[in-house]
């Protein structure tokens, strides 16, 4: 038996489906007998040798916040897989979704050091739990996300011992109906040189532009582009393109028919390398819920 | 076009292509046979016989297209043709490289066996160009002799030119060369890489280079009174020849995974452009090589709201040599009439309008407009356990995209339509459950 078969979690009749903004969606296909996206989270953590450190705190958080309501993001910089967890509570109705409450749940494994003033109108917050954090017994930083104009935009702030720092801005679009805005914001870049006509297709590749929602982010050292609502074939293409560990790609491909009901979300950081003039992707990521 | 809702694949609902085998005596640089499908044995004769028998009963297809590889190399070709004659098809088309047609007697036998349309590959105006493409010396001379034989016999001759970097500058010359043979139609297809998606062979030609040359070739066709058809080129690059774009393909009986290799298409201006329901934009290997061409492509402003395509509209009736003539309403409705009849009267009962019937290989979509919104009632092939609102003798009935203020009215209309379809469906109305119609049994066991 494949050791990764242990990571596969079957879809249940009561599963709910949310994208990485925790917006609900109709699964693409009937999901009975298929797999939950979180199967890939567990497989990736096993590949990263972090599963044994992180499984217990992750399950505790999921139980506290609610099944399907924690968004996970896996990141790859070409060397290691990292994890970020996102908690949404746009209306602050659920006490379990405040960062203060999440911090209490995580306390037995890692203490969340920054204290959040809960009167800040954040609609989302994120943490980066890791085996190192569990070994150290503490998480030194978190991020808070605040809404921008009309709810189609946002900003993120990093919070650590030294206080808040503005990190990124985000803007969401319909990739077809808002195409002019997508192009204008993508091109308004200090990091990416769009001089060569092929660059746009590298940043916005056709395989991913067939998505449901696109997000353009402006970050401190790169631009970010996120594609929400891609199918498992496009996910496999994306993982291969960004040279994710072969074992993970293989798992996706082997079980592609059992992930066909899921809309996945993916993202990249992108910039032009000053020396070679080539486009580079210092980080890629994909998302699901648990 | 490729969107999250699905993939828009224009289908000509009236044609069935039978891939007889992938053996060939040419080795065209762009051909799918050398590009990874060469383990496909072809559709077994018995399989074709059962499809033909089915067609004789239901008259779904007006035309059968026999293709390969090189179909004239098939030892059992005349058996396939005998079967084709029993299938109730109005036309039997042979898609061939034309080389064996240099034997006039063989060409005549084919006509006598029922072939009434010859679709001959012509990738250059001379031996230097075509033999370079086909990688077989003498192939142009043989094909040319074959075409001359067809012309002499008064056969319906159509040519097919795959446009690559090898012949893009010779398109008008191809027209001039073949014009004296009075072909009924010339088709120009932009090259679709099936496996060499990175185009290591350098066959993809930039649209900025191709388009003016193609337009000149199309001008020459007009001057000679030859009907022309273009596939896989953005419509906005065709100038006044825009209506010669016809991306539809027949239903193809081929190995299931053929479609995994089939390139997908997109255009950044899709939601802006009036033509996006018919134009495919650019294929993805092209976009990766040359970019989105967002400045070269010019969308025609839309007059109707855009909706993400799923199956797209069915292509109109294909009548070689008569494309420019208006299609008689009866002929346009042909094939659609029994489908329309399934929901006849439903819209009227609800103060709604049946705006469109989209008949596709795998689905029939009834697009209703009601109040300020609408709803699509969708038929797919009957399954045993797939999700469906109602299962009728032939179909699973679904609905999608309900919109407008009055949801109750939408729901009542959908229920009524489902009831009507269940009552009227005579059984035996065919939609394909899946894309390809043959599976693993048609593959050779050797690895590629
Ligand atoms: S703008 Fe795009 S959809 Fe419109 S005709 Fe040109 S390629 Fe086709």
């Amino acid at each position: 038996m494949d050791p990764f078969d242990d990571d596969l979690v079957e879809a249940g009749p009561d599963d709910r489906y949310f994208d990485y903004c925790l917006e609900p969606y109709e699964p693409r296909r009937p999901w009975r007998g298929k797999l939950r996206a979180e199967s890939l989270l567990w497989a990736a953590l096993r590949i990263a040798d972090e599963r044994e450190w992180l499984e217990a705190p992750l399950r505790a958080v999921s139980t506290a916040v609610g099944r399907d309501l924690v968004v996970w993001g896996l990141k790859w910089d070409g060397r290691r897989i990292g994890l970020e967890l996102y908690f949404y509570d746009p209306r602050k109705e659920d006490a379990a979704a405040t960062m203060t409450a999440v911090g209490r749940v995580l306390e037995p494994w890692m203490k969340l050091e920054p204290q959040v003033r809960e009167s800040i109108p954040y609609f989302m917050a994120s943490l980066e739990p890791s085996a190192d954090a569990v070994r150290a017994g503490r998480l030194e930083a978190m991020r808070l996300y605040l809404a921008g104009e009309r709810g189609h935009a946002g900003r993120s702030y990093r919070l650590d011992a030294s206080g808040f720092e503005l990190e990124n801005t985000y803007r969401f679009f319909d990739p077809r109906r808002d195409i002019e805005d997508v192009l204008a914001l993508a091109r308004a870049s200090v990091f990416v040189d769009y001089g060569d006509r092929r660059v746009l297709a590298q940043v916005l590749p056709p395989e991913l532009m067939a998505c449901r929602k696109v997000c353009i982010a402006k970050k401190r050292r790169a631009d970010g582009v996120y594609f929400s609502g891609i199918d498992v074939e496009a996910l496999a293409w994306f993982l291969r393109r960004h040279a994710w560990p072969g074992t993970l790609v293989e798992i996706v491909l082997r079980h592609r028919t059992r992930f066909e009901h899921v809309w996945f979300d993916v993202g990249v950081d992108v910039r032009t390398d000053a020396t070679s003039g080539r486009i580079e992707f210092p980080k890629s990521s994909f998302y699901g819920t648990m | 076009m490729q969107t999250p809702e699905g993939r828009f694949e224009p289908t000509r609902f009236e044609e069935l292509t039978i891939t007889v085998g992938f053996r060939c005596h040419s080795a065209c640089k762009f051909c799918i046979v050398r590009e990874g499908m060469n383990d496909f044995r072809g559709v077994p004769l018995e399989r074709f016989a059962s499809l033909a028998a089915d067609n004789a009963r239901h008259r779904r297809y007006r035309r059968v297209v026999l293709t390969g590889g090189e179909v004239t190399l098939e030892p059992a070709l005349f058996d396939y043709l005998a079967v084709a004659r029993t299938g109730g098809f109005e036309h039997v088309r042979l898609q061939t490289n034309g080389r064996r047609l240099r034997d006039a007697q063989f060409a005549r036998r084919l006509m006598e066996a029922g072939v009434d349309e010859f679709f001959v590959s012509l990738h250059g105006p001379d031996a230097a160009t075509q033999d370079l493409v086909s990688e077989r010396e003498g192939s142009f001379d043989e094909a040319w002799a074959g075409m001359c034989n067809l012309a002499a016999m008064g056969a319906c001759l159509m040519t097919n030119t795959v446009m690559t970097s090898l012949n893009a500058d010779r398109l008008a010359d191809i027209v001039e060369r073949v014009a004296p043979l009075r072909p009924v139609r010339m088709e120009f297809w932009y090259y679709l890489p099936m496996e060499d998606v990175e185009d290591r062979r350098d066959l993809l030609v930039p649209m900025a280079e191709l388009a003016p040359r193609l337009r000149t070739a199309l001008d020459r066709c007009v001057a000679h009174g030859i009907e022309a058809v273009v596939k896989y080129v953005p419509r906005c690059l065709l100038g006044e020849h825009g209506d010669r774009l016809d991306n539809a393909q027949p239903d193809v009986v081929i190995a299931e995974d053929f479609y995994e290799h089939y390139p997908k298409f997109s255009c950044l201006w899709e939601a802006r452009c009036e033509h996006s329901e018919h134009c495919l934009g650019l294929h993805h290997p092209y976009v990766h090589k040359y970019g989105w061409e967002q400045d070269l492509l010019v969308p025609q402003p839309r007059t109707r709201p855009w909706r993400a395509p799923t199956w797209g509209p069915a292509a109109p009736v294909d009548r070689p040599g008569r494309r420019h003539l208006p299609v008689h309403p009866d002929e346009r409705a042909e094939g659609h009439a029994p489908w329309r009849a399934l929901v006849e009267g439903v819209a009227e009962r609800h103060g709604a309008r049946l705006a469109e019937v989209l008949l596709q290989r795998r689905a029939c979509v009834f697009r209703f407009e009601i109040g300020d919104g609408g709803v699509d009632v969708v038929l797919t092939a009957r399954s045993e356990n797939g999700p469906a609102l109602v299962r009728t003798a032939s179909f699973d009935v679904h609905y999608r995209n309900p919109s407008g203020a009055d949801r109750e009215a939408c729901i009542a209309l959908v229920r009524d339509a489902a009831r009507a379809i269940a009552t009227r469906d005579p059984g035996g109305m065919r939609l394909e459950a899946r894309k390809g119609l043959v599976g693993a049994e048609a593959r050779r066991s050797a690895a590629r």
Side-chain angles (χ1 to χ4, degrees), chain A residues 28 30 176-180 183 187 197-198 200-201 204-207 209-212 229 231 237 256 263, chain B residues 2-5 206 260 266 268-272 284 287-295 306-308 387:
Chain A
R28 297 180 63 236
R176 283 161 288 278
R177 290 185 172 87
D178 302 329
I179 185 64
E180 291 88 352
L183 298 183
R187 283 197 188 116
R197 64 182 178 152
R198 288 166 302 187
L200 185 67
L204 305 174
E207 289 79 0
M209 281 299 274
C211 68
R212 289 149 61 100
D231 64 16
W237 179 87
R256 70 219 282 178
W263 288 122
Chain B
Q2 172 75 8
T3 77
E5 315 306 324
E260 284 177 22
S266 304
L268 285 181
W269 305 123
E270 182 183 357
R272 293 282 171 270
H284 291 185
V287 175
H288 285 296
K289 179 150 187 173
Y290 294 119
W292 280 106
E293 303 282 26
Q294 69 277 3
D295 299 323
W306 176 81
R307 282 205 233 171

Side-chain angles (χ1 to χ4, degrees), chain B residues 116-129:
Chain B
D116 67 342
E117 296 173 351
F118 290 86
F119 190 51
V120 182
S121 304
L122 182 63
H123 305 306
D126 50 35
T129 312

